[in-house]
């Protein structure tokens, strides 16, 4: 009996650590939850037809991991299916520490190098998490101005820009 209780507590704690959220707004949350946490978010219908989402909420003035950031939530049927957080690459270490404490150890952490003929090499630092059908990917283009955390459910990343 004690062993079963211990395993249930341990499993519940591990799952809670892997709930992907932004300032408490997790995948599956409703639009009103977004507006409660991000009152200046602007929500509107998606500009294109997609099986992945029908609405989006944007806020360009948020604090995430104690850094200035911008966020976009994508909703389908009043449930968050994905969100992305954009921030300065200068804040990478702070955001990485925060995400590791919030989401747990990533499945992978690496720097990828991309090269194209006639152009300088580009390095991208990436961390990836997964929990069931939910995924999170942090990508920071080193020596550039692009850093982004993308979090999504299911095949959202493949479906969002497929025009219908």
């Amino acid at each position: 009996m004690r062993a079963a209780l211990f395993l249930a507590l341990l499993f519940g704690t591990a799952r809670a650590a892997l709930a992907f959220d932004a300032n408490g707004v997790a995948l599956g949350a409703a639009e009103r939850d977004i507006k409660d946490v991000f009152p200046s978010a602007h929500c509107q219908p998606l500009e294109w037809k997609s099986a992945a989402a029908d609405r989006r909420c944007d806020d360009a003035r948020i604090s995430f991991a104690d850094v200035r950031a911008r966020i976009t939530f994508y909703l389908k049927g009043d449930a968050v299916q994905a969100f992305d957080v954009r921030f300065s690459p200068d804040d990478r270490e702070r955001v990485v520490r925060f995400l590791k404490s919030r989401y747990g150890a990533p499945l992978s952490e690496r720097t990828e190098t991309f090269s194209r003929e006639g152009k300088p090499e580009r390095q991208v630092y990436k961390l990836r998490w997964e929990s069931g059908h939910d995924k999170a990917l942090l990508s920071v283009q080193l020596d550039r101005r692009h850093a982004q955390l993308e979090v999504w459910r299911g095949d959202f990343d493949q479906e969002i820009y497929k025009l219908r």
Side-chain angles (χ1 to χ4, degrees):
M1 181 71 167
R2 284 185 181 174
L5 180 59
F6 174 76
L7 289 175
L9 287 172
L10 181 65
F11 180 70
T13 303
R15 285 189 52 96
L18 291 177
F20 300 129
D21 73 290
N23 295 5
V25 179
L27 293 175
E31 187 172 319
R32 73 179 178 287
D33 300 323
I34 295 168
K35 295 296 277 181
D36 287 346
V37 175
F38 302 101
S40 62
H42 174 70
C43 299
Q44 63 185 11
L46 204 59
E47 295 88 3
W48 63 94
K49 296 278 186 203
S50 172
D54 50 27
R55 290 185 63 75
R56 68 184 282 164
C57 295
D58 300 284
D59 196 332
R61 298 172 297 192
I62 73 161
S63 176
F64 179 79
D66 289 327
V67 303
R68 292 178 49 186
R70 298 181 315 253
I71 193 164
T72 300
F73 290 95
Y74 296 91
L75 299 98
K76 176 87 174 177
D78 197 33
V80 172
Q81 300 300 307
F83 61 86
D84 63 75
V85 180
R86 294 156 319 274
F87 58 95
S88 170
D90 296 338
D91 296 318
R92 174 182 74 151
E93 290 189 25
R94 185 180 301 171
V95 172
V96 166
R97 274 193 311 274
F98 173 80
L99 291 175
K100 285 180 177 180
S101 73
R102 186 87 180 165
Y103 296 170
L107 287 178
S108 67
E109 181 173 4
R110 66 180 183 270
T111 300
E112 296 179 359
T113 302
F114 299 92
S115 57
R116 294 188 340 205
E117 191 173 319
K119 298 208 176 200
E121 285 187 343
R122 183 174 52 123
Q123 291 190 317
V124 180
Y125 172 77
K126 292 184 176 183
L127 282 89
R128 186 174 58 90
W129 292 266
E130 288 186 22
S131 178
H133 294 294
D134 299 341
K135 297 173 182 64
L137 174 67
L138 175 76
S139 57
V140 180
Q141 292 184 25
L142 305 177
D143 300 325
R144 290 245 176 137
R145 300 190 55 127
H146 303 286
Q148 180 170 330
L149 169 67
E150 299 171 280
V151 177
W152 69 94
R153 180 164 276 170
D155 59 356
F156 177 91
D157 62 325
Q158 298 169 20
E159 292 292 324
I160 187 61
Y161 295 112
K162 283 186 182 177
L163 297 178
R164 303 280 175 205

